[in-house]
PDB file of all heavy atoms in Angstrom:
ATOM      1  N   ILE A 131       1.182  -9.707   0.733  1.00  0.00           N
ATOM      2  CA  ILE A 131       1.472 -11.126   0.570  1.00  0.00           C
ATOM      3  C   ILE A 131       0.502 -11.662  -0.524  1.00  0.00           C
ATOM      4  O   ILE A 131      -0.696 -11.838  -0.311  1.00  0.00           O
ATOM      5  CB  ILE A 131       1.260 -11.928   1.842  1.00  0.00           C
ATOM      6  CG1 ILE A 131       2.082 -11.335   2.969  1.00  0.00           C
ATOM      7  CG2 ILE A 131       1.577 -13.376   1.642  1.00  0.00           C
ATOM      8  CD1 ILE A 131       1.798 -11.939   4.326  1.00  0.00           C
ATOM      9  N   GLY A 133      -1.236 -14.298  -2.942  1.00  0.00           N
ATOM     10  CA  GLY A 133      -1.552 -15.725  -2.952  1.00  0.00           C
ATOM     11  C   GLY A 133      -1.621 -16.337  -1.543  1.00  0.00           C
ATOM     12  O   GLY A 133      -1.556 -17.556  -1.411  1.00  0.00           O
ATOM     13  N   PHE A 134      -1.639 -15.523  -0.497  1.00  0.00           N
ATOM     14  CA  PHE A 134      -1.663 -16.069   0.831  1.00  0.00           C
ATOM     15  C   PHE A 134      -2.962 -16.844   1.126  1.00  0.00           C
ATOM     16  O   PHE A 134      -2.968 -17.867   1.747  1.00  0.00           O
ATOM     17  CB  PHE A 134      -1.482 -14.942   1.872  1.00  0.00           C
ATOM     18  CG  PHE A 134      -1.349 -15.485   3.319  1.00  0.00           C
ATOM     19  CD1 PHE A 134      -0.136 -16.043   3.668  1.00  0.00           C
ATOM     20  CD2 PHE A 134      -2.336 -15.244   4.229  1.00  0.00           C
ATOM     21  CE1 PHE A 134      -0.005 -16.544   4.993  1.00  0.00           C
ATOM     22  CE2 PHE A 134      -2.161 -15.696   5.506  1.00  0.00           C
ATOM     23  CZ  PHE A 134      -1.041 -16.337   5.891  1.00  0.00           C
ATOM     24  N   LEU A 135      -4.078 -16.270   0.661  1.00  0.00           N
ATOM     25  CA  LEU A 135      -5.399 -16.930   0.760  1.00  0.00           C
ATOM     26  C   LEU A 135      -5.846 -17.387  -0.566  1.00  0.00           C
ATOM     27  O   LEU A 135      -5.521 -16.781  -1.619  1.00  0.00           O
ATOM     28  CB  LEU A 135      -6.417 -15.961   1.327  1.00  0.00           C
ATOM     29  CG  LEU A 135      -6.177 -15.345   2.684  1.00  0.00           C
ATOM     30  CD1 LEU A 135      -7.200 -14.203   3.035  1.00  0.00           C
ATOM     31  CD2 LEU A 135      -6.245 -16.408   3.794  1.00  0.00           C
ATOM     32  N   SER A 136      -6.580 -18.547  -0.584  1.00  0.00           N
ATOM     33  CA  SER A 136      -7.130 -19.022  -1.880  1.00  0.00           C
ATOM     34  C   SER A 136      -8.319 -18.129  -2.223  1.00  0.00           C
ATOM     35  O   SER A 136      -8.858 -17.406  -1.396  1.00  0.00           O
ATOM     36  CB  SER A 136      -7.553 -20.482  -1.664  1.00  0.00           C
ATOM     37  OG  SER A 136      -8.712 -20.552  -0.807  1.00  0.00           O
ATOM     38  N   ALA A 137      -8.776 -18.266  -3.435  1.00  0.00           N
ATOM     39  CA  ALA A 137      -9.972 -17.478  -3.916  1.00  0.00           C
ATOM     40  C   ALA A 137     -11.165 -17.863  -3.062  1.00  0.00           C
ATOM     41  O   ALA A 137     -11.965 -16.950  -2.685  1.00  0.00           O
ATOM     42  CB  ALA A 137     -10.214 -17.782  -5.379  1.00  0.00           C
ATOM     43  N   LYS A 138     -11.285 -19.112  -2.671  1.00  0.00           N
ATOM     44  CA  LYS A 138     -12.423 -19.530  -1.890  1.00  0.00           C
ATOM     45  C   LYS A 138     -12.336 -18.936  -0.425  1.00  0.00           C
ATOM     46  O   LYS A 138     -13.338 -18.511   0.077  1.00  0.00           O
ATOM     47  CB  LYS A 138     -12.441 -21.062  -1.740  1.00  0.00           C
ATOM     48  CG  LYS A 138     -13.620 -21.608  -1.061  1.00  0.00           C
ATOM     49  CD  LYS A 138     -13.628 -23.171  -1.063  1.00  0.00           C
ATOM     50  CE  LYS A 138     -14.847 -23.733  -0.323  1.00  0.00           C
ATOM     51  NZ  LYS A 138     -14.791 -25.132  -0.290  1.00  0.00           N
ATOM     52  N   GLU A 139     -11.122 -18.904   0.137  1.00  0.00           N
ATOM     53  CA  GLU A 139     -10.957 -18.312   1.454  1.00  0.00           C
ATOM     54  C   GLU A 139     -11.301 -16.761   1.394  1.00  0.00           C
ATOM     55  O   GLU A 139     -11.940 -16.232   2.344  1.00  0.00           O
ATOM     56  CB  GLU A 139      -9.526 -18.506   1.927  1.00  0.00           C
ATOM     57  CG  GLU A 139      -9.228 -19.917   2.330  1.00  0.00           C
ATOM     58  CD  GLU A 139      -7.742 -20.154   2.517  1.00  0.00           C
ATOM     59  OE1 GLU A 139      -6.875 -19.586   1.793  1.00  0.00           O
ATOM     60  OE2 GLU A 139      -7.440 -20.934   3.392  1.00  0.00           O
ATOM     61  N   ARG A 140     -10.778 -16.094   0.341  1.00  0.00           N
ATOM     62  CA  ARG A 140     -11.088 -14.672   0.237  1.00  0.00           C
ATOM     63  C   ARG A 140     -12.611 -14.435   0.076  1.00  0.00           C
ATOM     64  O   ARG A 140     -13.170 -13.527   0.773  1.00  0.00           O
ATOM     65  CB  ARG A 140     -10.361 -14.063  -0.923  1.00  0.00           C
ATOM     66  CG  ARG A 140      -8.873 -13.947  -0.763  1.00  0.00           C
ATOM     67  CD  ARG A 140      -8.172 -13.186  -1.873  1.00  0.00           C
ATOM     68  NE  ARG A 140      -8.463 -13.582  -3.236  1.00  0.00           N
ATOM     69  CZ  ARG A 140      -7.713 -14.544  -3.885  1.00  0.00           C
ATOM     70  NH1 ARG A 140      -6.660 -15.072  -3.347  1.00  0.00           N
ATOM     71  NH2 ARG A 140      -8.046 -14.838  -5.111  1.00  0.00           N
ATOM     72  N   ALA A 141     -13.281 -15.233  -0.742  1.00  0.00           N
ATOM     73  CA  ALA A 141     -14.701 -15.056  -0.896  1.00  0.00           C
ATOM     74  C   ALA A 141     -15.452 -15.330   0.393  1.00  0.00           C
ATOM     75  O   ALA A 141     -16.407 -14.640   0.687  1.00  0.00           O
ATOM     76  CB  ALA A 141     -15.204 -16.027  -1.949  1.00  0.00           C
ATOM     77  N   HIS A 142     -14.975 -16.281   1.183  1.00  0.00           N
ATOM     78  CA  HIS A 142     -15.651 -16.563   2.422  1.00  0.00           C
ATOM     79  C   HIS A 142     -15.520 -15.331   3.409  1.00  0.00           C
ATOM     80  O   HIS A 142     -16.465 -14.992   4.115  1.00  0.00           O
ATOM     81  CB  HIS A 142     -15.049 -17.844   3.082  1.00  0.00           C
ATOM     82  CG  HIS A 142     -15.580 -18.120   4.405  1.00  0.00           C
ATOM     83  ND1 HIS A 142     -16.890 -18.670   4.652  1.00  0.00           N
ATOM     84  CD2 HIS A 142     -15.047 -17.904   5.652  1.00  0.00           C
ATOM     85  CE1 HIS A 142     -17.061 -18.777   5.945  1.00  0.00           C
ATOM     86  NE2 HIS A 142     -15.987 -18.337   6.572  1.00  0.00           N
ATOM     87  N   ILE A 143     -14.340 -14.805   3.509  1.00  0.00           N
ATOM     88  CA  ILE A 143     -14.091 -13.633   4.367  1.00  0.00           C
ATOM     89  C   ILE A 143     -14.943 -12.493   3.966  1.00  0.00           C
ATOM     90  O   ILE A 143     -15.575 -11.847   4.766  1.00  0.00           O
ATOM     91  CB  ILE A 143     -12.614 -13.279   4.369  1.00  0.00           C
ATOM     92  CG1 ILE A 143     -11.801 -14.419   5.113  1.00  0.00           C
ATOM     93  CG2 ILE A 143     -12.346 -11.952   5.053  1.00  0.00           C
ATOM     94  CD1 ILE A 143     -10.323 -14.288   4.944  1.00  0.00           C
ATOM     95  N   VAL A 144     -15.016 -12.183   2.674  1.00  0.00           N
ATOM     96  CA  VAL A 144     -15.806 -11.079   2.128  1.00  0.00           C
ATOM     97  C   VAL A 144     -17.260 -11.343   2.436  1.00  0.00           C
ATOM     98  O   VAL A 144     -17.968 -10.453   2.923  1.00  0.00           O
ATOM     99  CB  VAL A 144     -15.577 -10.906   0.627  1.00  0.00           C
ATOM    100  CG1 VAL A 144     -16.597  -9.920   0.101  1.00  0.00           C
ATOM    101  CG2 VAL A 144     -14.177 -10.359   0.375  1.00  0.00           C
ATOM    102  N   ALA A 145     -17.786 -12.554   2.175  1.00  0.00           N
ATOM    103  CA  ALA A 145     -19.134 -12.908   2.424  1.00  0.00           C
ATOM    104  C   ALA A 145     -19.464 -12.747   3.958  1.00  0.00           C
ATOM    105  O   ALA A 145     -20.582 -12.241   4.269  1.00  0.00           O
ATOM    106  CB  ALA A 145     -19.451 -14.309   1.956  1.00  0.00           C
ATOM    107  N   ALA A 146     -18.555 -13.139   4.801  1.00  0.00           N
ATOM    108  CA  ALA A 146     -18.815 -13.040   6.243  1.00  0.00           C
ATOM    109  C   ALA A 146     -18.846 -11.599   6.701  1.00  0.00           C
ATOM    110  O   ALA A 146     -19.614 -11.212   7.591  1.00  0.00           O
ATOM    111  CB  ALA A 146     -17.710 -13.852   6.995  1.00  0.00           C
ATOM    112  N   ALA A 147     -18.035 -10.772   6.104  1.00  0.00           N
ATOM    113  CA  ALA A 147     -17.925  -9.385   6.516  1.00  0.00           C
ATOM    114  C   ALA A 147     -18.993  -8.517   5.836  1.00  0.00           C
ATOM    115  O   ALA A 147     -19.310  -7.424   6.341  1.00  0.00           O
ATOM    116  CB  ALA A 147     -16.553  -8.792   6.151  1.00  0.00           C
ATOM    117  N   LEU A 148     -19.486  -8.940   4.741  1.00  0.00           N
ATOM    118  CA  LEU A 148     -20.392  -8.175   3.930  1.00  0.00           C
ATOM    119  C   LEU A 148     -21.575  -7.487   4.682  1.00  0.00           C
ATOM    120  O   LEU A 148     -21.840  -6.254   4.495  1.00  0.00           O
ATOM    121  CB  LEU A 148     -20.933  -8.929   2.738  1.00  0.00           C
ATOM    122  CG  LEU A 148     -21.564  -8.166   1.629  1.00  0.00           C
ATOM    123  CD1 LEU A 148     -20.567  -7.153   1.030  1.00  0.00           C
ATOM    124  CD2 LEU A 148     -22.079  -9.145   0.540  1.00  0.00           C
ATOM    125  N   PRO A 149     -22.268  -8.203   5.552  1.00  0.00           N
ATOM    126  CA  PRO A 149     -23.443  -7.576   6.219  1.00  0.00           C
ATOM    127  C   PRO A 149     -23.033  -6.371   7.099  1.00  0.00           C
ATOM    128  O   PRO A 149     -23.905  -5.515   7.218  1.00  0.00           O
ATOM    129  CB  PRO A 149     -23.952  -8.715   7.171  1.00  0.00           C
ATOM    130  CG  PRO A 149     -23.465  -9.978   6.548  1.00  0.00           C
ATOM    131  CD  PRO A 149     -22.158  -9.647   5.916  1.00  0.00           C
ATOM    132  N   SER A 150     -21.877  -6.279   7.534  1.00  0.00           N
ATOM    133  CA  SER A 150     -21.492  -5.155   8.392  1.00  0.00           C
ATOM    134  C   SER A 150     -20.578  -4.146   7.708  1.00  0.00           C
ATOM    135  O   SER A 150     -20.103  -3.171   8.360  1.00  0.00           O
ATOM    136  CB  SER A 150     -20.868  -5.641   9.703  1.00  0.00           C
ATOM    137  OG  SER A 150     -19.718  -6.393   9.419  1.00  0.00           O
ATOM    138  N   MET A 151     -20.316  -4.312   6.415  1.00  0.00           N
ATOM    139  CA  MET A 151     -19.408  -3.446   5.694  1.00  0.00           C
ATOM    140  C   MET A 151     -20.141  -2.121   5.308  1.00  0.00           C
ATOM    141  O   MET A 151     -21.299  -2.152   4.963  1.00  0.00           O
ATOM    142  CB  MET A 151     -18.919  -4.141   4.424  1.00  0.00           C
ATOM    143  CG  MET A 151     -17.854  -5.172   4.738  1.00  0.00           C
ATOM    144  SD  MET A 151     -17.286  -6.080   3.282  1.00  0.00           S
ATOM    145  CE  MET A 151     -16.649  -4.734   2.251  1.00  0.00           C
ATOM    146  N   GLU A 152     -19.394  -1.023   5.442  1.00  0.00           N
ATOM    147  CA  GLU A 152     -19.858   0.269   5.054  1.00  0.00           C
ATOM    148  C   GLU A 152     -18.788   0.941   4.179  1.00  0.00           C
ATOM    149  O   GLU A 152     -17.601   0.606   4.329  1.00  0.00           O
ATOM    150  CB  GLU A 152     -20.138   1.145   6.277  1.00  0.00           C
ATOM    151  CG  GLU A 152     -21.264   0.606   7.182  1.00  0.00           C
ATOM    152  CD  GLU A 152     -21.409   1.498   8.392  1.00  0.00           C
ATOM    153  OE1 GLU A 152     -20.848   2.529   8.431  1.00  0.00           O
ATOM    154  OE2 GLU A 152     -22.188   1.111   9.244  1.00  0.00           O
ATOM    155  N   ASP A 173     -18.220  -6.975  -6.569  1.00  0.00           N
ATOM    156  CA  ASP A 173     -17.744  -7.752  -5.454  1.00  0.00           C
ATOM    157  C   ASP A 173     -18.893  -8.080  -4.480  1.00  0.00           C
ATOM    158  O   ASP A 173     -18.974  -9.199  -3.991  1.00  0.00           O
ATOM    159  CB  ASP A 173     -16.611  -6.999  -4.709  1.00  0.00           C
ATOM    160  CG  ASP A 173     -15.320  -6.951  -5.458  1.00  0.00           C
ATOM    161  OD1 ASP A 173     -15.184  -7.706  -6.449  1.00  0.00           O
ATOM    162  OD2 ASP A 173     -14.463  -6.141  -5.090  1.00  0.00           O
ATOM    163  N   LYS A 174     -19.757  -7.096  -4.243  1.00  0.00           N
ATOM    164  CA  LYS A 174     -20.885  -7.284  -3.326  1.00  0.00           C
ATOM    165  C   LYS A 174     -21.817  -8.352  -3.896  1.00  0.00           C
ATOM    166  O   LYS A 174     -22.271  -9.273  -3.148  1.00  0.00           O
ATOM    167  CB  LYS A 174     -21.571  -5.995  -3.077  1.00  0.00           C
ATOM    168  CG  LYS A 174     -22.482  -5.974  -1.903  1.00  0.00           C
ATOM    169  CD  LYS A 174     -23.000  -4.574  -1.655  1.00  0.00           C
ATOM    170  CE  LYS A 174     -23.818  -4.518  -0.373  1.00  0.00           C
ATOM    171  NZ  LYS A 174     -24.221  -3.184  -0.013  1.00  0.00           N
ATOM    172  N   LYS A 176     -21.129 -10.724  -6.095  1.00  0.00           N
ATOM    173  CA  LYS A 176     -20.428 -12.008  -6.123  1.00  0.00           C
ATOM    174  C   LYS A 176     -20.445 -12.679  -4.709  1.00  0.00           C
ATOM    175  O   LYS A 176     -20.686 -13.824  -4.567  1.00  0.00           O
ATOM    176  CB  LYS A 176     -18.986 -11.861  -6.570  1.00  0.00           C
ATOM    177  CG  LYS A 176     -18.099 -13.054  -6.526  1.00  0.00           C
ATOM    178  CD  LYS A 176     -18.332 -13.977  -7.646  1.00  0.00           C
ATOM    179  CE  LYS A 176     -17.267 -15.043  -7.743  1.00  0.00           C
ATOM    180  NZ  LYS A 176     -17.741 -16.363  -7.403  1.00  0.00           N
ATOM    181  N   ALA A 177     -20.187 -11.872  -3.694  1.00  0.00           N
ATOM    182  CA  ALA A 177     -20.217 -12.391  -2.323  1.00  0.00           C
ATOM    183  C   ALA A 177     -21.569 -12.843  -1.936  1.00  0.00           C
ATOM    184  O   ALA A 177     -21.699 -13.881  -1.257  1.00  0.00           O
ATOM    185  CB  ALA A 177     -19.680 -11.311  -1.376  1.00  0.00           C
ATOM    186  N   LYS A 178     -22.605 -12.140  -2.341  1.00  0.00           N
ATOM    187  CA  LYS A 178     -23.998 -12.518  -2.039  1.00  0.00           C
ATOM    188  C   LYS A 178     -24.291 -13.857  -2.749  1.00  0.00           C
ATOM    189  O   LYS A 178     -24.845 -14.734  -2.116  1.00  0.00           O
ATOM    190  CB  LYS A 178     -24.915 -11.399  -2.554  1.00  0.00           C
ATOM    191  CG  LYS A 178     -26.252 -11.474  -1.981  1.00  0.00           C
ATOM    192  CD  LYS A 178     -27.051 -10.220  -2.416  1.00  0.00           C
ATOM    193  CE  LYS A 178     -28.342 -10.090  -1.703  1.00  0.00           C
ATOM    194  NZ  LYS A 178     -29.096  -8.920  -2.047  1.00  0.00           N
ATOM    195  N   ASP A 180     -22.096 -16.228  -3.663  1.00  0.00           N
ATOM    196  CA  ASP A 180     -21.341 -17.237  -2.991  1.00  0.00           C
ATOM    197  C   ASP A 180     -22.015 -17.698  -1.656  1.00  0.00           C
ATOM    198  O   ASP A 180     -22.063 -18.829  -1.342  1.00  0.00           O
ATOM    199  CB  ASP A 180     -19.953 -16.749  -2.750  1.00  0.00           C
ATOM    200  CG  ASP A 180     -19.098 -16.617  -4.019  1.00  0.00           C
ATOM    201  OD1 ASP A 180     -19.549 -17.186  -5.051  1.00  0.00           O
ATOM    202  OD2 ASP A 180     -18.065 -15.933  -3.985  1.00  0.00           O
ATOM    203  N   LYS A 181     -22.547 -16.677  -0.939  1.00  0.00           N
ATOM    204  CA  LYS A 181     -23.192 -17.008   0.326  1.00  0.00           C
ATOM    205  C   LYS A 181     -24.437 -17.846   0.126  1.00  0.00           C
ATOM    206  O   LYS A 181     -24.699 -18.796   0.802  1.00  0.00           O
ATOM    207  CB  LYS A 181     -23.566 -15.713   1.077  1.00  0.00           C
ATOM    208  CG  LYS A 181     -23.867 -15.914   2.514  1.00  0.00           C
ATOM    209  CD  LYS A 181     -23.966 -14.570   3.255  1.00  0.00           C
ATOM    210  CE  LYS A 181     -24.220 -14.816   4.712  1.00  0.00           C
ATOM    211  NZ  LYS A 181     -24.138 -13.583   5.435  1.00  0.00           N
ATOM    212  N   GLU A 184     -23.480 -21.362  -0.676  1.00  0.00           N
ATOM    213  CA  GLU A 184     -23.125 -22.072   0.490  1.00  0.00           C
ATOM    214  C   GLU A 184     -24.300 -22.536   1.281  1.00  0.00           C
ATOM    215  O   GLU A 184     -24.306 -23.674   1.802  1.00  0.00           O
ATOM    216  CB  GLU A 184     -22.221 -21.160   1.405  1.00  0.00           C
ATOM    217  CG  GLU A 184     -20.792 -21.041   1.012  1.00  0.00           C
ATOM    218  CD  GLU A 184     -20.023 -20.177   1.969  1.00  0.00           C
ATOM    219  OE1 GLU A 184     -20.367 -20.043   3.144  1.00  0.00           O
ATOM    220  OE2 GLU A 184     -19.005 -19.653   1.524  1.00  0.00           O
TER     221      GLU A 184
END
Side-chain angles (χ1 to χ4, degrees):
I131 306 173
F134 186 72
L135 298 173
S136 69
K138 186 176 179 181
E139 290 168 323
R140 289 190 307 270
H142 176 75
I143 290 170
V144 169
L148 196 59
S150 59
M151 287 176 57
E152 296 178 8
D173 289 346
K174 195 171 186 176
K176 173 82 170 109
K178 198 174 190 178
D180 290 344
K181 195 170 185 176
E184 282 183 24

